[in-house]
Amino acid sequence: VQISARLRRSWIHKALDPANLGSLGVSAGSVFGIAAVEAWMLAAQGHRTMRFICTYAQHQVMPSVIWMTKPAEHVAARLGLDPNRVLRQHNPLNPVDAHRLLRIAGLKTARSVLAGFVGIAQVLRLVELGRRAELEYEERVTACREPMLSGITGRIVRLAGQSSQLTELDARCHGSHLVSVLEDPGSCTDLVQLQSHGGLVPFGWHVPGKAYANPKSWGAVSTAQADLQLARFQLDQEWLFRIQDPNRSHGRVLLIEADKSAETCSEALSSPGSQKRDDLSVQEASQCFDMIEQLARAQQVLGPDDLVARVLLTDGENVIRTGGGGVCSERQRADQQNECDVFLDTRTPLVGAILSWAERAWAKRADPNVVGPQKQIVVDTSDSFWFANAKKVLEMHGWHVLDRPQPSRSGQHIPWLL
């Protein structure tokens, strides 16, 4: 229903464009003028009043589209006039009257041809405007510039940078409950098509890189409260979650997340500071958190008892180098600057899961009589970057990492990581 209403408003806006209305007005005025001349010729001398002429012409505009003429006798009677006195009495056998009747018939033909072509053209134009409104709406949806629909409760705003596999996974699980903020919708077409249902449902917002603090990125003129309230990116109170806390009788929370996690296991296992994904920084996430909170408060989405929860997903050991040559980890910066409320370390759980599996596999398969006492593991991959990162992490925890060995008896007694 909301989508149909938006398409209808867009169609009406285009149909009422001044240029289109001007063209239609000229055409209708021409038909009205021809019908007025026709009325002047039909009226008898002494009864050619503006009232009769304009009323007759007005009644002929729409019927002319289908080559129809409303009888002059009916128009005169509608005005309370005597048709026998107001209208000229024609004798078809009289050459003068016959000539006048032919001229009147020619005027009827002219206005019908004009109105007919204009009517068909207007119908085709309205159909084209409807199709154009649909295409423009679809373009806005896929470009993440169309405001969200209402009626969906419990939505999470997810800052995804240029791409995010985690966001795509969550979109498959949670659907419309996830509002994605993307730097480049064109680079993640699968996510766009998935969340928008083929360009039908607005699902997110496009913010160019390095522009999260710019109010124009969010459809506002400035950071003034009045401008933020009218921004194209509109939040809704229905997005908030109830706080499940026995110590709080009321209150809700707006959940904002930033996904700075690595896109691949190879990048996740890389040494701190060497991750390849740099499309999203902690500073940008902080700016986005702040701007969304400003928008929510300006649009009166947050009440006095409501909270904003900022969640950052990243490698806590990733190194940030300052312009002055200083060095700190992302976890340290987040703690010092209070840039998030929840910090989720995406590297430590992965390393822990690999080490836990390796320990279980070693205890189950290893035979010290065959492979010796040192823990060994085979990293089986054709990706040299992934092998180097996995080797470095495992060796730090006492493992001897082997490339895929030649078929041998010992290979059957040590864990293989694929």
Side-chain angles (χ1 to χ4, degrees), residues 98-119:
H99 178 67
R100 182 179 292 107
L101 290 174
L102 288 175
R103 292 179 62 187
I104 293 174
L107 292 172
K108 292 181 180 179
T109 301
R111 64 175 168 81
S112 297
V113 170
L114 177 60
F117 279 114
V118 170

Side-chain angles (χ1 to χ4, degrees), residues 34-154:
I34 295 173
V37 175
E38 186 181 326
W40 185 86
M41 298 183 66
L42 287 170
Q45 290 185 1
H47 296 280
R48 292 169 177 169
T49 64
M50 290 299 297
R51 184 185 178 203
F52 171 75
I53 293 175
C54 290
T55 303
Y56 178 86
Q58 176 186 349
H59 279 279
Q60 306 307 326
V61 174
M62 289 301 297
S64 297
V65 177
I66 56 173
W67 289 68
M68 179 181 174
T69 299
K70 290 185 178 180
E73 292 83 359
H74 295 175
V75 175
R78 173 68 179 80
L79 296 175
L81 304 175
D82 184 1
N84 294 324
R85 297 182 57 190
V86 173
L87 300 178
R88 185 189 295 271
Q89 304 300 316
H90 293 96
N91 181 7
L93 300 180
N94 185 300
V96 176
D97 289 349
H99 178 67
R100 182 179 292 107
L101 290 174
L102 288 175
R103 292 179 62 187
I104 293 174
L107 292 172
K108 292 181 180 179
T109 301
R111 64 175 168 81
S112 297
V113 170
L114 177 60
F117 279 114
V118 170
I120 295 174
Q122 289 299 316
V123 170
L124 295 177
R125 188 180 69 85
L126 293 177
V127 173
E128 174 61 22
L129 289 178
R131 178 56 181 162
R132 191 184 305 172
E134 293 179 0
L135 292 176
E136 291 179 358
Y137 172 80
E138 182 178 342
E139 290 177 359
R140 291 195 303 271
V141 170
T142 55
C144 298
R145 301 301 294 180
E146 179 69 17
M148 305 299 110
L149 301 178
S150 61
I152 302 175
T153 59

Side-chain angles (χ1 to χ4, degrees), residues 183 207-214 217 278-281 283-284 287:
E183 291 186 3
V207 177
K210 316 299 182 184
Y212 292 95
N214 188 346
S217 300
D278 59 355
D279 63 301
L280 183 63
S281 66
Q283 296 91 325
E284 289 178 310
Q287 292 173 356

Side-chain angles (χ1 to χ4, degrees), residues 141-142 144 182 185 188-199 203:
V141 170
T142 55
C144 298
L182 303 173
C188 44
T189 54
D190 291 341
L191 174 62
V192 170
Q193 291 298 316
L194 172 66
Q195 282 201 270
S196 68
H197 298 278
F203 71 95

